[in-house]
Amino acid sequence: MLKEERQAYIIKQINLHNKVLSSDLSTELNVSEDTVRRDLNELAESGKIIKVYGGALSKSFHYPFTEKETYAKDSKKEIAKKALSLIKDEMVLLVGGGTTMIEIARMVPKNLRATFFTVSPLVALELVENSNINVILLGGQLSPNAHISVGSMVVNQLSEIHVDLCFLGTNGLSLEAGISDSDMEVVQVKKAMLKAAKRTAIVSIAEKLDSVQKMKVCNLSAINYLVTDLDPSDPALEGYSKYVELL
């Protein structure tokens, strides 16, 4: 694989999953970690990614208020429109973090009356602009990678609430492995969010379909809705329709 092809693959994986590890990229690309580190350094120097110890982070995720940096923005807007069809007046909702969740928050109708719990300060800032919405930010240690509250404090708070609907993003989504992630602390928060909700919707761009991360959040059977940028009749979603309602 040429360096340009290798670096294009790296950028795509970072944008899809927010964070990648040099060791994982080395295995996937069948090159040495030194080669991967050189690629990451070049991409960071050109301003395409954020280099961190052991890997890299997505600029799309870490600068969500910069419109031009958001990866697959049109797809995420389409997902947000579909997700909002699940929300009714007077609902109590729980939402996670990420750029798709920010798009949902931006599109919440001004006349909607609802209560939103969130573990994301960035999502909370968007939601609070709507004067009809009651916004409750669940606090804890702020993850520098995921930009959400993590740790025992937020898990305990989640154990004390019961919501009508939860919106969750995901880093991995497959028929066999279900919902998965690459960060153990984030996984624990997502599991607590699932327990707090009567119904849960996973929101994800279609590019993440059939991808698997190292740590499992739940089986597809634990999810009620899957909201993607594809039409529900798309062949790529055929297997998923056996487990969840597609939007």
Side-chain angles (χ1 to χ4, degrees):
M1 184 182 290
L2 297 175
K3 182 173 77 170
E4 291 77 12
E5 295 174 316
R6 197 170 61 237
Q7 292 188 356
Y9 176 86
I10 290 171
I11 290 173
K12 181 173 183 179
Q13 293 306 305
I14 291 173
N15 281 329
L16 280 178
H17 304 298
N18 173 40
K19 180 181 179 180
V20 294
L21 299 177
S22 300
S23 56
D24 290 343
L25 289 172
S26 174
T27 300
E28 292 166 15
L29 294 167
N30 194 29
V31 296
S32 69
E33 285 197 46
D34 284 340
T35 298
V36 170
R37 278 192 287 270
R38 284 195 294 271
D39 284 338
L40 294 180
N41 286 333
E42 286 185 20
L43 292 170
E45 287 170 5
S46 63
K48 296 177 180 178
I49 64 170
I50 302 170
K51 181 77 168 61
V52 296
Y53 179 77
L57 304 172
S58 167
K59 289 190 71 175
S60 169
F61 188 91
H62 282 259
Y63 297 96
F65 297 116
T66 304
E67 296 284 323
K68 66 179 182 178
E69 297 289 0
T70 302
Y71 181 71
K73 187 172 181 62
D74 289 342
S75 294
K76 291 173 182 178
K77 284 185 174 182
E78 178 63 24
I79 291 168
K81 291 176 185 177
K82 292 181 179 182
L84 288 172
S85 69
L86 296 172
I87 302 178
K88 310 298 180 186
D89 270 330
E90 307 304 331
M91 266 190 169
V92 179
L93 301 111
L94 174 61
V95 296
T99 49
T100 303
M101 223 63 68
I102 287 174
E103 292 300 331
I104 293 173
R106 286 173 176 165
M107 290 188 185
V108 170
K110 295 301 180 184
N111 62 346
L112 178 72
R113 296 186 178 277
T115 296
F116 281 79
F117 288 89
T118 183
V119 295
S120 168
L122 298 178
V123 171
L125 286 171
E126 291 288 352
L127 288 170
V128 81
E129 293 297 315
N130 190 326
S131 59
N132 287 323
I133 288 176
N134 184 28
V135 182
I136 302 169
L137 177 62
L138 301 174
Q141 178 184 347
L142 187 61
S143 166
N145 295 332
H147 287 180
I148 65 169
S149 298
V150 295
S152 60
M153 185 180 297
V154 71
V155 170
N156 287 339
Q157 291 173 59
L158 286 164
S159 71
E160 296 176 350
I161 65 174
H162 301 281
V163 304
D164 299 306
L165 178 64
C166 173
F167 287 115
L168 273 183
T170 183
N171 271 330
L173 172 63
S174 77
L175 292 170
E176 294 77 18
I179 310 304
S180 56
D181 208 294
S182 58
D183 187 312
M184 178 56 77
E185 288 192 317
V186 171
V187 167
Q188 297 310 310
V189 171
K190 287 184 175 181
K191 286 183 176 182
M193 291 175 73
L194 284 166
K195 290 180 181 178
K198 292 179 183 176
R199 303 180 75 77
T200 298
I202 292 293
V203 296
S204 175
I205 57 174
E207 287 182 73
K208 292 186 181 180
L209 291 173
D210 304 323
S211 65
V212 179
Q213 296 296 299
K214 291 183 176 179
M215 301 170 195
K216 186 167 186 172
V217 176
C218 66
N219 292 320
L220 286 177
S221 58
I223 303 302
N224 303 101
Y225 309 101
L226 174 58
V227 190
T228 74
D229 46 319
L230 298 178
D231 186 279
S233 62
D234 192 288
L237 293 169
E238 183 177 355
Y240 293 89
S241 63
K242 300 175 183 177
Y243 299 95
V244 297
E245 183 177 337
L246 302 174
L247 274 75

